[in-house]
Amino acid sequence: MRRIFLLRHGKTEWNGQFRYQGKSDVPLNEEGRLQAQRAALRLTSLDIDAIYASPLSRAKETAHIVSRTLGVPIKGFYEELCEMNFGAWEGLTAPDIERSYAESFRLWRRNPEKVKIPKGESFTEVVERVTCGMKKILNDAGENILVVAHGGSIRAALAGLFAMDISASWRIRIDNCSLTSMELGSDRVMLAFANDTLHLLVDDEGLVPNLPVLV
């Protein structure tokens, strides 16, 4: 049975300010780099044999940190794995958006698949492109696959792989540098765990390469 691990990138300054990032190329901050290092150590026990990532710098740097620690090269950066394009909302906080785009923001919070963000994407479009990217990866990769992406694109991957209701997939919490895992059999996909951040709860002196894995 093949395993897929979905890793959200580490924290950025905009994450700390609760700003919508989307396609804006915001880099990791120091906390985000430490989170990526902790995630990398967690992954050392999982026999990862293929790494793929979004080309946005926050995901790319997270993937490089993991790659160096595991000694596993990154096989590709896929545009399909990029975060949702939030268009006119990028760089804004939720209160900013609510003031300027009240009606569409309220609908977005209830049914994100029904909203086409000004100058951006709908979540339905994100699911379509991420599903396309995941199909390419699954046709190419090995048994234990790591995909480094974003909160929105990870939710989109789950929606595509599980044929989930799109609106429901956006209600899955995906924290910075959290791990989500699935097992792929010949005829079904099973969720092993979601939004696992155990590796981020260890203090700096407690970092070890064999933290427990919930599989």
Side-chain angles (χ1 to χ4, degrees), residues 102-126:
E103 184 176 349
S104 59
F105 188 64
R106 282 195 294 270
L107 182 57
W108 158 256
R109 298 296 290 268
R110 294 194 305 270
N111 300 104
E113 76 282 5
K114 294 182 179 179
V115 177
K116 173 81 170 182
I117 294 173
K119 301 180 182 178
E121 293 179 289
S122 71
F123 191 54
T124 301
E125 291 171 327
V126 179

Side-chain angles (χ1 to χ4, degrees), residues 46-211:
L46 296 179
D47 297 321
I48 300 296
D49 51 35
I51 300 173
Y52 299 83
S54 155
L56 293 175
S57 61
R58 55 194 186 270
K60 184 183 287 187
E61 186 176 1
T62 300
H64 277 304
I65 290 170
V66 172
S67 174
R68 287 195 299 269
T69 301
L70 301 186
V72 177
I74 299 168
K75 294 193 71 174
F77 296 99
Y78 282 51
E79 290 286 340
E80 293 95 332
L81 300 176
C82 283
E83 180 58 290
M84 179 171 176
N85 185 347
F86 284 104
W89 294 3
E90 295 197 6
L92 304 179
T93 64
D96 294 334
I97 299 167
E98 194 163 22
R99 280 192 295 270
S100 301
Y101 303 92
E103 184 176 349
S104 59
F105 188 64
R106 282 195 294 270
L107 182 57
W108 158 256
R109 298 296 290 268
R110 294 194 305 270
N111 300 104
E113 76 282 5
K114 294 182 179 179
V115 177
K116 173 81 170 182
I117 294 173
K119 301 180 182 178
E121 293 179 289
S122 71
F123 191 54
T124 301
E125 291 171 327
V126 179
V127 172
E128 289 172 354
R129 69 167 164 81
V130 172
T131 298
C132 179
M134 291 300 297
K135 285 179 179 177
K136 291 180 184 179
I137 289 169
L138 292 173
N139 286 335
D140 175 61
E143 294 300 309
N144 295 318
I145 306 158
L146 177 67
V147 176
V148 184
H150 309 266
S153 51
I154 289 173
R155 293 179 181 97
L158 293 173
L161 288 166
F162 286 102
M164 291 174 61
D165 176 85
I166 292 177
S167 182
S169 69
W170 197 261
R171 294 182 174 89
I172 299 172
R173 180 167 174 159
I174 304 292
D175 290 325
N176 286 111
C177 252
S178 65
L179 277 169
T180 295
S181 177
M182 291 159 287
E183 297 176 346
L184 277 67
S186 58
D187 61 349
R188 61 178 178 171
V189 181
M190 296 184 65
L191 181 68
F193 57 83
N195 197 43
D196 182 357
T197 56
L198 179 64
H199 45 283
L200 303 183
L201 303 179
V202 180
D203 63 27
D204 293 348
E205 293 183 358
L207 285 174
V208 291
N210 54 357
L211 290 171

